[in-house]
Amino acid sequence: MRAAGLVVGRTLDLLKRSVEPGMTPLDLDVIAEKAIRDEGAIPSFKGYQGFPATICASVNHEVVHGIPTNARKLREGDVISIDCGAILDGWHGDSAVTVPVGEVDPKLTELMRVTEEAMWRGIAALKPGRHLSDIGHEVERYVRSQGRYGIPPEYGGHGIGTEMHMDPWIANHGRPGRGPVLEEGMCLAIEPMVNLGTERTRVLTDDWTVVTVDGKASAHFEHSVAVTHNGPWVLTALDGGEERLAQLQN
C-alpha cells in the first residue's frame, strides 16, 4: 500500500504544480492518467461504478466527485479539489488536495488551511487503542474552533486496502470514544470536506457531482493512513507524514 500511496502522492504533487489559469479539469485528468500508468499502476477511479475519469476535479462550490471535462477553463481566483486514486499490485492508494488557481480570496486560503489542518488532526488520532470516532471528533473540534464552517454530514473517510472503499465509514464529526478500537495494521482514508457556508449539499443531474446548496466554496483534503505501533504512517504523503505529525506533537 505504501508503493501505491507513493504513486498517488507523486501524481498529486505533479498536478498541484500543473494547475494554472486557462487549464481545464480534463487537462489535469490527462496528466494524472499518464503519470499513474507510467509508474505501472492503474487509475482506480476510472470505471469505478461508471465514473468516467482518472481524477475527481471539483471546482469552487463543488464539494466532491466532480467529473473533469473541457467545458470550462480554470480562472484566477478559483479553487479546485483534486481527488486521485491508484492501484498497484492489487493495493489501493487514495488522496486529495485543494489547490488555489493563482491568487485567491483570503477567505478561500483560510478555508483550505482549516480543512487541511483538520485532516492532520484526525490523522494524529490513528493510534492503537483509540476509537474510530476519535478521528471525526478531532476533525470537527478543530473546524469548529476556527469559525462558522459547514461539515457535510453525509460524506467522510473509509477503510482502504485491496478495495478503494472498505468498512468502516469514518464520519468527520461526532463524540469521542465510540466505535471499534483502532488496531495495528488497519488502513483508513481520512478525508474532511469543509464548506465556507452551509453544510447542506445536493447532487447534480450527472449523478456524481456534489455541490453546496448556497453556492459557496468547499475544500477537500485526504490521505490514506496505516495504524502502526508507532502511530500513524501516512501512506500517500511523500515523507510518510513525518513533518506535519511532528509539528502536532510539539
Side-chain angles (χ1 to χ4, degrees), residues 5 10 20 57 82 98 146 166 176 178 188 193 206 232 236 245:
R10 287 190 288 263
E20 61 182 22
I82 306 169
T98 302
Q146 299 301 299
M166 304 175 73
R178 299 186 174 191
L188 305 170
M193 288 136 275
D206 63 14
T236 45
L245 291 170

Side-chain angles (χ1 to χ4, degrees), residues 74-230:
L74 297 176
R75 297 179 297 179
E76 182 97 8
D78 287 343
V79 293
I80 179 169
S81 298
I82 306 169
D83 195 350
C84 180
I87 310 166
L88 187 65
D89 297 329
W91 297 94
H92 286 255
D94 187 9
S95 183
V97 294
T98 302
V99 184
V101 183
E103 295 292 325
V104 303
D105 188 296
K107 289 182 179 179
L108 297 179
T109 302
E110 180 66 2
L111 172 68
M112 290 184 286
R113 185 197 68 78
V114 168
T115 308
E116 185 173 18
E117 180 66 16
M119 175 192 66
W120 284 107
R121 299 294 176 107
I123 289 170
L126 270 73
K127 298 175 181 177
R130 295 198 67 173
H131 287 262
L132 188 70
S133 71
D134 293 350
I135 301 167
H137 175 73
E138 295 296 341
V139 168
E140 181 180 26
R141 181 166 69 167
Y142 183 76
V143 172
R144 300 297 183 215
S145 74
Q146 299 301 299
R148 296 177 63 85
Y149 294 101
I151 303 174
E154 308 96 327
Y155 302 99
H158 51 89
I160 185 169
T162 54
E163 299 176 29
M164 180 165 56
H165 292 119
M166 304 175 73
D167 290 334
W169 183 75
I170 306 167
N172 287 315
H173 55 86
R175 297 180 182 179
R178 299 186 174 191
V181 175
L182 300 179
E183 299 178 3
E184 186 176 353
M186 288 182 172
C187 293
L188 305 170
I190 312 305
E191 55 174 320
M193 288 136 275
V194 180
N195 301 340
L196 198 55
T198 180
E199 68 178 24
R200 294 177 58 214
T201 63
R202 64 185 179 90
V203 180
L204 298 184
T205 55
D206 63 14
D207 291 329
W208 282 104
T209 309
V210 178
V211 300
T212 59
V213 297
D214 61 6
K216 293 185 178 180
S218 184
H220 174 205
F221 284 85
E222 176 186 18
H223 271 307
S224 299
V225 187
V227 180
T228 80
H229 67 281
N230 290 322

Side-chain angles (χ1 to χ4, degrees), residues 227-244:
V227 180
T228 80
H229 67 281
N230 290 322
W233 181 20
V234 187
L235 302 171
T236 45
L238 299 184
D239 71 344
E242 290 183 7
E243 179 179 354
R244 287 295 292 112

Side-chain angles (χ1 to χ4, degrees), residues 37-75:
R37 294 194 187 279
D38 282 352
E39 294 215 42
I42 301 168
S44 52
F45 294 2
K46 197 163 191 177
Y48 180 77
Q49 296 183 357
F51 191 77
T54 293
I55 60 171
C56 296
S58 307
V59 180
N60 296 333
H61 72 298
E62 296 171 353
V63 182
V64 284
H65 304 157
I67 299 173
T69 71
N70 271 334
R72 61 180 167 191
K73 293 183 178 181
L74 297 176
R75 297 179 297 179

